[in-house]
Amino acid sequence: MGMGHADISRRGLLGSAIAVAVVAVTGTPAAAVAPARPRGEVPALWREFLRTPFTHPQIPYVGRAGYRAGVTRLPRRPAVADVTAYGAVADGTTDCAPAINRAIAAAGRAGGGTVIIPPGTYRIDGLIRIGYDNVVLRGAGSDRTTLYATKNLTELIGVYGSRYGGDKSSWSWAGGLIWLAPTARWDSLIAAVQAKAWPFEGWTGNKRDEWETLTAVSPAEQGSWSVTVADARRLRPGQLVLLRLADDAGHTLLEHMSGGGPGPEAYYWDDKTKLTSYVPYEWPVRIARVAGRKVTFERPLPLDVRPEWDPRLTTHVGALTGAGVEGLTLQAVETPQSPHLLDKGYNGVVFQCTYDCWADDVVVRHVDNGFGLVAASSCTLRRTRVAGRGSHHPYFCREGSHDNLIEDFTIEQRTVPAPPNTQLHGINVEGLSSCNVWSRGEMQMGTFDSHRGLPFANVRTDITVNNNGRHGGDASAGPLFGARFTHWNVRVTNGRAGLMRIDQLAPCSATVGLNEVTEFDQIDVPDFTGDLHSRLELYGTTDVVRPRNLYEAQREL
C-alpha cells in the first residue's frame, strides 16, 4: 500500500521482535530462538506485556480479534446462485437490486453459500440486504464488479432522526446500501424508523428489553478466560451469549473502564446522559467449553466481573453469523457531501448485530459513510478502501462493537474539495466499544477519531496517516478515551499530534513508535485530572519499534 517496507517480510520482522523480546525476558541466547533478522528496537512495554499479556495496565490483549478469533484465512463457501439467473443485467441501466436480493434469499433458503456477481456494472436503485447466516455476496474482484447505487437511505427508507433529539440525521452514522444484519433485527429497526420511534440499534432490541437472563456470574478478573456461573444448564459449547455488566450509583463500572484511580473517581459522570444510556455494557462472546459450573470463553474478559455490576450471561436478538461480502466496488452516484450530521445516507457496507462476519476486497466510492460496525463483534474487514468525493465517517465502530479487526485498509484522498460545513473524521470508535484493532492502514486523510462515549482497550497499529481530520462526539457522551488504548508504530505524514500522541490524553494507555509531532488545529485537554499513568516510548522514531505490528505479534503469541 505504498508504505515503503515491501522489501522486508512482515513475518520476518515479527519473528525478530519475538526473538529479541524472549531474550530480554528469559535470558535465552538469540541464536537459540530465531535466526538473525533486520534490527529494530524493542520497547520496555513489549517486554512487560509478554509477562502479563492478558492483564497489562496500558496495552490490551487483542490477539483474538476478528472473524473466528482472528483466523487468517476466510472461508470459501460453494457457489449456490448467480445473480444473472435471477434477472440481474450488467448493462449499468437495469435496476438489479431486486434480482440480487432474490439470489441472496435463495442462498439463505438453501442454508447458505456464495452468491456470484459476474464482472460488469450493475445498477441498484435499492439497498442490498444480507440477512441469512453463511451467505456470501461475491463479485469478480473490486476492479471488475461494480454496484452503482442511485439512491440514498432517506429516499429508500425515510427520514431517520436521532434518539437523542435535535435535527440530526442518524443516516450520518447508521445504515448501509449493503447492509448485513439478521433479518428479524433489520425488519424491527426499519419499522421503528418508519414509525419515527427512533430505536436503540444494538444486541437487545429497539428498547433494549429483548433479553433474558441465562445465569448469574461469579466475580472474575480482567484477563480470565473462564467464569463460574450459578447454573450452566442453558449453556453449551459454541453458543453465543452476552456478558452483561450494569453500572452502580457511584459509576464504578465507568471508572473501571477508565483505569480507576483518583482521576476517574473525581470525574463527574451524572450529566453525561448519552454515555450513561450506553450502559449496561454488553459483550458478545462464544462459549468454548462448559465443565460443571465453569464456563470458558473463546477470548479473555476485557473487564473485571464484580458483584456490584450485577453480572450475568443473557440472551440477545438473533445474530447474523458466517456472512460476508467480497470482491466488488459499491459506487454511489456522485453528489456533494452533505452538511455535518445531515447525511442523506449514501452509505457503504454496514455490519449490524453480526458476529463472525467479514468483508474482503471491497471498495466504496462517493459515499457519505464508508464501512460501519454497529453492535457488531468478531468481524474482519480486510483489503477495504474508501474513495471518491470524500466521506463523513470513512470507517465507524459504535454502539458496543467489540473484538473487530480492520486490516489492510485505505482511505484515499478526496477527489473534490470539501464543501463548507462538512466534517471529516477517519477511523471512528465510540459507544463503549472495546478491543477493536485497526492494522496496516494507509490514511491519505482523516484522523484516529475517538468519538467520545468512552471507548476503551482499542489498538491502532502499523498505520500511515495524513492527520487532517477532526474527532467528534457530544459533551454528554463523556470522555474521549477509556483505559488501554494503544497507538503502536504510527507514521504521521503532516506532523500533527492531535489524537496520535495520546500519552497526555488517554488514561492508562500507550503511544509507542510515533514520529515527532506537534500540536495544531484541534487541541484536546485530558478528561481526567492527575497522573494518567500513560506511557510514551520510542517517540520521534519511524518504523523502528519491534514488533512493528502489535496485533500480529499478539496473535503469534
Side-chain angles (χ1 to χ4, degrees):
M1 297 195 301
M3 294 183 189
H5 50 74
D7 56 323
I8 301 175
S9 79
R10 191 172 287 122
R11 186 168 294 276
L13 292 177
L14 180 60
S16 174
I18 293 175
V20 173
V22 169
V23 172
V25 174
T26 67
T28 306
V33 178
R37 301 292 188 186
R39 297 187 63 172
E41 295 188 45
V42 179
L45 273 163
W46 178 246
R47 298 185 179 103
E48 294 171 10
F49 179 83
L50 288 174
R51 298 186 191 106
T52 59
F54 308 129
T55 58
H56 192 275
Q58 280 90 18
I59 298 176
Y61 177 74
V62 292
R64 293 178 71 80
Y67 171 82
R68 287 291 179 185
V71 300
T72 57
R73 180 169 296 182
L74 299 172
R76 299 286 289 181
R77 306 206 187 286
V80 295
D82 185 315
V83 298
T84 59
Y86 291 82
V89 182
D91 58 6
T93 59
T94 302
D95 176 17
C96 298
I100 295 171
N101 285 323
R102 285 194 296 269
I104 291 170
R109 290 192 298 270
T114 297
V115 175
I116 299 295
I117 311 179
T121 297
Y122 300 80
R123 173 173 171 157
I124 56 171
D125 295 340
L127 62 89
I128 304 303
R129 292 176 50 192
I130 302 177
Y132 305 91
D133 290 350
N134 303 317
V135 170
V136 180
L137 183 66
R138 181 188 301 154
S142 61
D143 58 344
R144 301 182 67 201
T145 297
T146 297
L147 303 183
Y148 178 64
T150 63
K151 295 184 179 180
N152 58 59
L153 294 170
T154 302
E155 294 174 283
L156 295 172
I157 295 172
V159 172
Y160 188 1
S162 169
R163 68 177 184 253
Y164 299 103
D167 61 355
K168 302 171 185 176
S169 167
S170 284
W171 299 130
S172 301
W173 56 76
L177 292 169
I178 299 177
W179 199 332
L180 292 87
T183 296
R185 185 73 184 102
W186 192 89
D187 289 344
S188 70
L189 281 165
I190 300 312
V193 170
Q194 293 178 337
K196 295 183 167 44
W198 315 130
F200 283 90
E201 301 155 276
W203 285 99
T204 50
N206 296 343
K207 297 182 179 180
R208 298 196 75 178
D209 58 359
E210 296 179 40
W211 60 275
E212 60 180 279
T213 299
L214 295 170
T215 182
V217 180
S218 297
E221 294 185 350
Q222 172 204 322
S224 301
W225 291 72
S226 301
V227 296
T228 300
V229 301
D231 185 349
R233 285 177 296 178
R234 298 180 65 185
L235 306 178
R236 66 184 187 281
Q239 182 179 1
L240 182 64
V241 296
L242 288 185
L243 172 65
R244 185 180 193 271
L245 301 177
D247 205 0
D248 59 11
H251 299 297
T252 60
L253 176 61
L254 297 177
E255 291 173 5
H256 176 55
M257 291 174 177
S258 305
E265 289 173 4
Y267 186 82
Y268 190 69
W269 301 97
D270 286 342
D271 63 348
K272 309 304 186 295
T273 53
K274 190 171 185 178
L275 171 61
T276 54
S277 78
Y278 299 150
V279 182
Y281 175 79
E282 296 165 340
W283 183 58
V285 65
R286 284 197 193 280
I287 295 173
R289 291 187 300 280
V290 179
R293 294 194 298 119
K294 181 181 179 181
V295 177
T296 302
F297 300 128
E298 65 177 348
R299 49 175 58 85
L301 294 175
L303 295 166
D304 287 352
V305 172
R306 300 180 187 173
E308 56 265 36
W309 303 331
D310 189 23
R312 56 182 76 189
L313 299 182
T314 77
T315 62
H316 48 83
V317 297
L320 179 69
T321 64
V325 55
E326 304 174 343
L328 58 83
T329 289
L330 172 65
Q331 178 169 317
V333 59
E334 187 171 358
T335 59
Q337 186 177 346
S338 296
H340 190 218
L341 300 177
L342 297 178
D343 294 350
K344 296 177 181 177
Y346 290 106
N347 295 347
V349 182
V350 165
F351 296 77
Q352 186 160 8
C353 296
T354 57
Y355 196 95
D356 285 336
C357 293
W358 71 90
D360 185 24
D361 183 27
V362 177
V363 176
V364 296
R365 183 173 286 116
H366 303 321
V367 292
D368 293 337
N369 301 282
F371 293 87
L373 297 159
V374 181
S377 292
S378 303
C379 296
T380 293
L381 278 59
R382 179 176 296 166
R383 298 189 300 162
T384 56
R385 181 179 294 261
V386 181
R389 50 87 156 156
S391 303
H392 177 198
H393 294 96
Y395 291 83
F396 57 95
C397 178
R398 50 177 294 271
E399 201 78 11
S401 291
H402 313 289
D403 305 298
N404 297 294
L405 170 64
I406 302 94
E407 64 180 358
D408 296 313
F409 67 94
T410 304
I411 301 173
E412 292 188 1
Q413 185 60 256
R414 64 189 314 135
T415 54
V416 297
N421 302 316
T422 60
Q423 188 68 272
L424 166 66
H425 296 310
I427 52 174
N428 154 282
V429 61
E430 59 181 290
L432 302 185
S433 297
S434 63
C435 299
N436 301 288
V437 177
W438 292 261
S439 169
R440 297 198 308 260
E442 181 180 8
M443 298 173 59
Q444 298 170 13
M445 63 177 191
T447 194
F448 291 178
D449 173 29
S450 295
H451 208 88
R452 301 199 180 275
L454 200 64
F456 66 94
N458 297 285
V459 166
R460 290 117 169 197
T461 182
D462 197 5
I463 298 172
T464 300
V465 53
N466 177 31
N467 184 26
N468 63 357
R470 299 173 71 84
H471 78 72
D474 293 339
S476 65
L480 281 170
F481 300 94
R484 290 177 291 128
F485 258 81
T486 301
H487 292 175
W488 187 285
N489 192 17
V490 176
R491 302 167 289 273
V492 182
T493 61
N494 63 344
R496 178 182 167 217
L499 301 171
M500 304 291 125
R501 179 176 172 175
I502 58 173
D503 57 298
Q504 299 174 4
L505 287 175
C508 302
S509 293
T511 306
V512 182
L514 174 72
N515 59 289
E516 189 169 344
V517 291
T518 57
E519 293 280 8
F520 60 89
D521 191 29
Q522 182 171 271
I523 299 174
D524 291 295
V525 297
D527 292 291
F528 303 110
T529 57
D531 187 349
L532 296 180
H533 302 287
S534 286
R535 304 275 292 276
L536 179 69
E537 279 200 75
L538 296 180
Y539 174 64
T541 67
T542 300
D543 275 332
V544 167
V545 61
R546 297 294 183 269
R548 66 173 300 132
N549 188 295
L550 180 62
Y551 164 72
E552 290 183 348
Q554 289 195 18
R555 188 182 64 201
E556 290 289 329
L557 291 176

